[in-house]
Amino acid sequence: MVFEKDLNLDATELRLGLPGTSEESGKQASTTLRIGNKRALPDMNEDSSVAASKQCDQETAPPTKAQVVGWPPIRSYRKNSLQTKKTEAETSGMYVKVSMDGAPYLRKVDLKNYKGYPEVLKALEDMFKFKVGKYSEREGYNGSEFLPTYEDKDGDWMLVGDVPWEMFVNSCKRLRIMKGTEARGLGCVV
Amino acid sequence: MNYFPDEVLEHVFDSIASHKDRNSVSLVCKSWYRIERYSRRRVFIGNCYSISPERLIARFPGLKSLTLKGKPHFADFNLVPYDWGGFVYPWIKALAESGIGLEELRLKRMVVSDESLELLSKSFANFKSLVLVSCEGFSADGLAAVAANCRFLRELDLQENEVDDHRGHWLSCFPESCTSLVSLNFACLKGEVNLGALERLVSRSPNLKSLRLNRLVPLDTLQKLLMRAPQLVDLGIGSYVHDPSSEASNKLKHAIQRCKSIVSLSGFLEVAPRCMSAIYPICGNLTTLNLSYAPGLHGNKLTKLIQHCRKLQRLWILDRIGDKGLGVVASTCKELQELRVFPSDPFGAGNDAVTEEGLVLVSAGCPKLNSLLYFCQQMTNAALITVARNCPNFIRFRLCILDPVKPDPVTNQPLDEGFGAIVQSCKRLKRLSLSGLLTDQVFLYIGMYAEQLEMLSIAFAADSDKGMLYVLNGCKKLRKLEIRDCPFGNSALLEDVGKYETMRSLWMSSCEVTLGGCKTVAEKMPSLNVEIINESDQTEFNLDEGQKVDKMYLYRTLVGHRKDAPESVWIL
């Protein structure tokens, strides 16, 4: 084994695949799949108990855990559909354009990065260097000439903050920070 | 037994619905066999390779309804090559050419091509019902043919199929004259459907009782459909995202409230949890609730919903419900008979997954529980013993601990005693799936006590051949045995090969059986097909008899070797 390393046989080895790709991960998967007898598995158990907390499990879980073919025994259809939902939720992102009246160019933010209104408003404030007023259901934003608005799926311009956060994230197509006189129509009390 | 004219016997036989009983009736004497076969309308074939379509047609010329199952169960978990077999086309072709008046076809784990669907739709004038479960091989074009040509279609039920449906036109292919629909389930389709066509179809289907929509049917369409079909009994909601204070939400509430007959609810393929209150008015009537495709529902919103469902008999849920949530189920759903808890994140840490606590709570609160599928983080012997005591009525008990060889975390012991308690207490147990750390001992218990057991699934268990022998010797009614990753070898396999003729099938993968052992079974039992599945890249099988077999699937058959096996399958 050491001998092989010194000679760097890997570099000259003929293999299928694009240059620069390594087959290691593939190999690892195939060897761990051959869990033909129980003796392999108690090791797995030890690993997972050593890994202690549940958070650790996710990062340091031994490859065997996730790569046993056909385990846990869930129908592929169900697995695929849950995976799709996770992927959509986690990786697709929800980038929307943000414009500010008077600014020379637009920005984009990923709504999935934020857990609620205070966070996204703070991010917008930092991005465009302004401050929104205090929000109340009755009066909208009070105390600033800047007003955060968004265009929803129906094409209507709405005040940010009225609907539940998930609803907002699902229906927001773009954001616009309105300024000054135009803002008054949407319930800004200056 | 010639006291009665044939018509009288036929009339009596008509009232015998169970397949098993009808099969028994046909064995009494020659004249009963004859009368039974001419009057038989429904046939169930659990393994499509156990008999041929020609022999089926020859024996039952009056056949109206056929149920066929194809691939072995473990195909659901990617353990069987995609081209293994289970093609429905030869069946449809043979039935079409025979003049049989087929009205109903129910398929599970079969390969269904568009060509077969087209042939089906054109060959049987009175065709009424198509049910496809876990099938693949067809696209929306095949569905379009069924919609267009089956003039008296009552049921189109697609459950968990992988369908290539990039073109959504199929729904528009139902002609204006089609008004007979009773059940339409397209929840598994990923593509868009023509919403206008859907609304018109529902409007002209006064007998529609069951409607399950896919994810791309938006809320306003749902509302319109409910207004047109207040007689629905079973509803599957696609997209359920709305603003609770909006006009759309009010309209939906009103529409839902009119549906006083809904007893079964599923879907929520896209859901905003805050909107569930619109559903509350119908929750009190629900007997079936399937939320296992709605990971967005959890916590308080979920438990609040369940608290409204006092009549629930069947609940399918994700493990995000947690043990606490199961406690709510236990205190609310006193009529519960079937519970399925699926993992929302098979490979993650499962922070809100369920443990033995949730199961114990449900067993204590729901004495009528008889069917369980439970994916959990861990299980203890003490919990299983308690569950066995609380619920002696289990018919199906399937436990899946996500870590396959996990022992009892409290005592660090195998789970033999716990499962032993289950089989000893539940005298009517027909189906059992085991998991966790298990020794030969649990199989001793199963062989001793599980007298009614028909199907057993084993993974990563046992210490020796004894385990398998206990089961084969003890479980007289065993029909299906599926084993993976256990140390069972030739001496267990070969102990009593005659037993396999009394069973539907045996699956063994990643065990210790060798090619030689499998060959011996095949030689001794010509009534069995012994298939070796080899998916490795080797171009030729290693013919060494001592070579361990990766996957073996054997089943009894009346028609010998099948001719449609792919290269990766070798029939001995």
Side-chain angles (χ1 to χ4, degrees):
Chain A
M1 288 281 272
V2 174
F3 184 58
E4 273 179 58
K5 266 192 191 160
D6 285 344
L7 282 184
N8 201 9
L9 285 173
D10 278 343
T12 54
E13 190 186 276
L14 271 178
R15 63 168 90 112
L16 296 172
L18 296 171
T21 57
S22 140
E23 273 191 14
E24 269 166 17
S25 50
K27 266 194 207 146
Q28 200 175 41
S30 59
T31 49
T32 55
L33 287 179
R34 302 299 293 131
I35 305 178
N37 58 51
K38 241 184 49 170
R39 270 159 292 179
L41 294 167
D43 289 344
M44 210 166 92
N45 260 355
E46 280 170 32
D47 277 347
S48 55
S49 59
V50 160
S53 72
K54 280 184 183 175
Q55 279 94 14
C56 280
D57 261 356
Q58 241 169 350
E59 277 100 52
T60 64
T64 46
K65 206 168 196 172
Q67 284 167 29
V68 177
V69 175
W71 193 269
I74 310 171
R75 260 189 204 164
S76 332
Y77 174 85
R78 184 177 285 280
K79 238 189 215 167
N80 292 342
S81 99
L82 283 173
Q83 218 121 39
T84 317
K85 292 201 178 153
K86 270 193 89 179
T87 322
E88 278 177 12
E90 288 170 1
T91 68
S92 64
M94 280 214 64
Y95 282 96
V96 294
K97 287 184 191 170
V98 189
S99 63
M100 162 112 132
D101 292 353
Y105 52 84
L106 281 62
R107 300 296 303 271
K108 262 199 163 167
V109 292
D110 181 355
L111 293 178
K112 290 275 191 251
N113 281 341
Y114 309 104
K115 294 207 180 70
Y117 289 117
E119 278 183 40
V120 72
L121 288 173
K122 176 88 178 38
L124 293 175
E125 284 176 340
D126 289 342
M127 208 181 252
F128 289 98
K129 313 279 182 283
F130 73 102
K131 282 253 178 283
V132 295
K134 190 167 176 345
Y135 173 80
S136 73
E137 208 178 296
R138 217 171 133 253
E139 293 180 351
Y141 288 87
N142 204 340
S144 162
E145 62 168 336
F146 293 101
L147 208 65
T149 66
Y150 70 100
E151 184 183 4
D152 74 0
K153 275 184 181 158
D154 297 328
D156 297 321
W157 284 95
M158 319 284 292
L159 189 68
V160 169
D162 284 337
V163 301
W165 174 251
E166 296 126 4
M167 163 114 288
F168 166 71
V169 169
N170 281 326
S171 56
C172 171
K173 280 172 51 189
R174 53 186 297 167
L175 283 156
R176 178 181 163 197
I177 318 286
M178 285 190 183
K179 187 179 163 186
T181 49
E182 254 211 76
R184 223 168 274 138
L186 275 170
C188 162
V189 178
V190 179
Chain B
M1 286 268 195
N2 290 331
Y3 306 142
F4 302 113
D6 289 0
E7 298 80 48
V8 172
L9 281 173
E10 218 180 279
H11 193 68
V12 172
F13 294 169
D14 271 349
S15 60
I16 300 171
S18 131
H19 291 291
K20 268 196 192 139
D21 289 342
R22 285 203 73 122
N23 293 346
S24 305
V25 156
S26 69
L27 293 174
V28 167
C29 63
K30 276 195 181 148
S31 67
W32 279 37
Y33 176 90
R34 179 178 44 84
I35 296 166
E36 199 281 321
R37 72 177 258 257
Y38 280 110
S39 62
R40 178 98 97 166
R41 301 284 169 258
R42 317 178 66 90
V43 173
F44 169 88
I45 296 177
N47 173 7
C48 65
Y49 290 117
S50 61
I51 191 73
S52 70
E54 290 73 27
R55 284 180 66 161
L56 170 76
I57 293 163
R59 180 167 171 191
F60 300 116
L63 183 67
K64 295 254 176 289
S65 162
L66 177 62
T67 303
L68 279 172
K69 291 189 180 180
K71 297 184 188 179
H73 177 225
F74 278 1
D76 278 348
F77 319 132
N78 293 334
L79 288 175
V80 174
Y82 78 98
D83 56 354
W84 173 87
F87 306 104
V88 76
Y89 184 78
W91 291 86
I92 297 180
K93 182 158 182 285
L95 287 162
E97 285 166 5
S98 70
I100 285 213
L102 193 69
E103 293 182 9
E104 179 177 281
L105 187 61
R106 309 168 76 93
L107 305 175
K108 187 169 184 181
R109 277 192 291 272
M110 292 202 69
V111 178
V112 181
S113 61
D114 282 343
E115 204 189 348
S116 0
L117 290 177
E118 208 174 327
L119 183 59
L120 174 76
S121 72
K122 292 185 174 152
S123 309
F124 308 105
N126 226 16
F127 192 76
K128 296 201 171 76
S129 170
L130 181 64
V131 180
L132 302 177
V133 180
S134 264
C135 296
E136 61 191 346
F138 62 102
S139 75
D141 289 346
L143 298 176
V146 172
N149 301 326
C150 299
R151 295 171 54 212
F152 303 112
L153 195 68
R154 287 199 200 151
E155 183 176 20
L156 180 60
D157 185 359
L158 307 170
Q159 298 177 29
E160 300 192 338
N161 303 289
E162 298 283 358
V163 186
D164 172 21
D165 64 334
H166 297 302
R167 297 200 291 159
H169 69 295
W170 65 276
L171 205 89
S172 322
C173 294
F174 281 103
E176 288 301 313
S177 55
C178 175
T179 58
S180 46
L181 270 183
V182 174
S183 166
L184 179 64
N185 173 6
F186 61 94
C188 65
L189 297 187
K190 300 195 187 63
E192 289 187 356
V193 291
N194 183 323
L195 298 176
L198 176 60
E199 286 173 43
R200 288 189 296 278
L201 179 62
V202 169
S203 297
R204 64 176 186 275
S205 303
N207 297 322
L208 194 67
K209 292 281 186 290
S210 169
L211 179 64
R212 296 192 186 187
L213 309 168
N214 78 351
R215 204 160 167 227
L216 295 179
V217 176
L219 198 88
D220 57 333
T221 305
L222 171 66
Q223 183 262 333
K224 287 185 200 156
L225 295 172
L226 291 177
M227 289 302 283
R228 284 170 170 74
Q231 76 282 4
L232 281 179
V233 168
D234 168 33
L235 175 65
I237 291 181
S239 172
Y240 193 73
V241 177
H242 53 102
D243 175 3
S245 59
S246 68
E247 180 58 28
S249 184
N250 282 334
K251 280 172 93 172
L252 181 72
K253 260 189 221 168
H254 171 68
I256 289 178
Q257 275 170 335
R258 289 179 73 231
C259 299
K260 300 198 191 301
S261 306
I262 293 181
V263 294
S264 166
L265 191 59
S266 62
F268 298 96
L269 306 174
E270 203 175 66
V271 62
R274 278 168 220 263
C275 315
M276 298 313 285
S277 54
I279 301 286
Y280 294 165
I282 56 165
C283 286
N285 295 330
L286 291 181
T287 55
T288 301
L289 181 60
N290 181 355
L291 299 174
S292 64
Y293 284 102
L297 268 182
H298 54 97
N300 288 341
K301 298 285 185 287
L302 177 55
T303 47
K304 246 191 135 183
L305 177 69
I306 290 180
Q307 277 168 329
H308 284 82
C309 303
R310 305 203 144 265
K311 285 195 189 161
L312 221 50
Q313 293 173 17
R314 189 190 290 171
L315 176 63
W316 291 23
I317 197 94
L318 288 170
D319 62 0
R320 301 197 74 182
I321 190 173
D323 290 329
K324 278 219 189 88
L326 288 177
V328 174
V329 172
S331 50
T332 311
C333 309
K334 297 301 180 188
E335 302 297 313
L336 197 68
Q337 294 176 28
E338 176 177 325
L339 175 67
R340 296 197 189 191
V341 181
F342 294 95
S344 51
D345 185 8
F347 304 118
N351 285 321
D352 28 27
V354 294
T355 71
E356 76 277 9
E357 290 180 16
L359 184 58
V360 169
L361 288 170
V362 174
S363 74
C366 309
K368 296 188 183 177
L369 197 63
N370 62 40
S371 176
L372 182 76
L373 173 61
Y374 197 73
F375 286 83
C376 57
Q377 281 295 324
Q378 61 183 47
M379 185 53 58
T380 65
N381 282 310
L384 284 173
I385 291 168
T386 306
V387 169
R389 194 173 47 237
N390 290 341
C391 294
N393 297 318
F394 275 116
I395 301 174
R396 272 169 243 110
F397 191 88
R398 298 156 69 188
L399 190 73
C400 178
I401 303 170
L402 291 170
D403 180 349
V405 284
K406 197 167 178 158
D408 179 332
V410 172
T411 63
N412 229 32
Q413 293 298 302
L415 291 174
D416 301 333
E417 298 305 310
F419 280 106
I422 295 284
V423 294
Q424 199 177 355
S425 166
C426 303
K427 308 216 186 302
R428 276 177 266 174
L429 194 67
K430 285 192 180 169
R431 183 170 179 181
L432 179 64
S433 299
L434 307 169
S435 60
L437 184 66
L438 296 164
T439 72
D440 287 343
Q441 184 71 6
V442 71
F443 299 104
L444 175 67
Y445 292 141
I446 292 172
M448 270 172 71
Y449 296 113
E451 292 174 10
Q452 302 299 318
L453 196 65
E454 296 180 7
M455 181 170 178
L456 180 62
S457 309
I458 311 172
F460 304 103
D463 309 308
S464 74
D465 283 336
K466 280 201 226 150
M468 186 166 166
L469 289 170
Y470 289 142
V471 171
L472 290 176
N473 291 333
C475 301
K476 302 291 177 215
K477 298 205 174 171
L478 196 63
R479 293 192 298 120
K480 287 180 280 183
L481 181 57
E482 44 187 31
I483 304 170
R484 63 165 293 180
D485 295 274
C486 295
F488 301 142
N490 290 342
S491 71
L493 180 68
L494 297 173
E495 166 92 355
D496 176 14
V497 292
K499 169 88 176 170
Y500 307 132
E501 218 177 23
T502 70
M503 293 166 54
R504 185 187 296 174
S505 64
L506 169 67
W507 168 283
M508 292 181 76
S509 60
S510 302
C511 297
E512 306 282 317
V513 295
T514 68
L515 184 56
C518 298
K519 276 188 175 172
T520 307
V521 178
E523 275 163 40
K524 288 190 171 172
M525 301 293 298
S527 58
L528 302 176
N529 276 355
V530 181
E531 298 190 2
I532 309 294
I533 299 170
N534 184 1
E535 287 180 276
S536 72
D537 289 334
Q538 302 170 244
T539 44
E540 44 182 86
F541 289 118
N542 183 344
L543 293 173
D544 172 15
E545 307 258 307
Q547 165 93 343
K548 275 195 215 157
V549 157
D550 191 24
K551 296 171 187 170
M552 179 204 72
Y553 179 54
L554 64 80
Y555 51 90
R556 68 180 174 190
T557 177
L558 293 174
V559 290
H561 290 188
R562 60 186 175 110
K563 308 283 184 292
D564 61 0
E567 279 205 12
S568 53
V569 174
W570 180 17
I571 307 181
L572 297 177

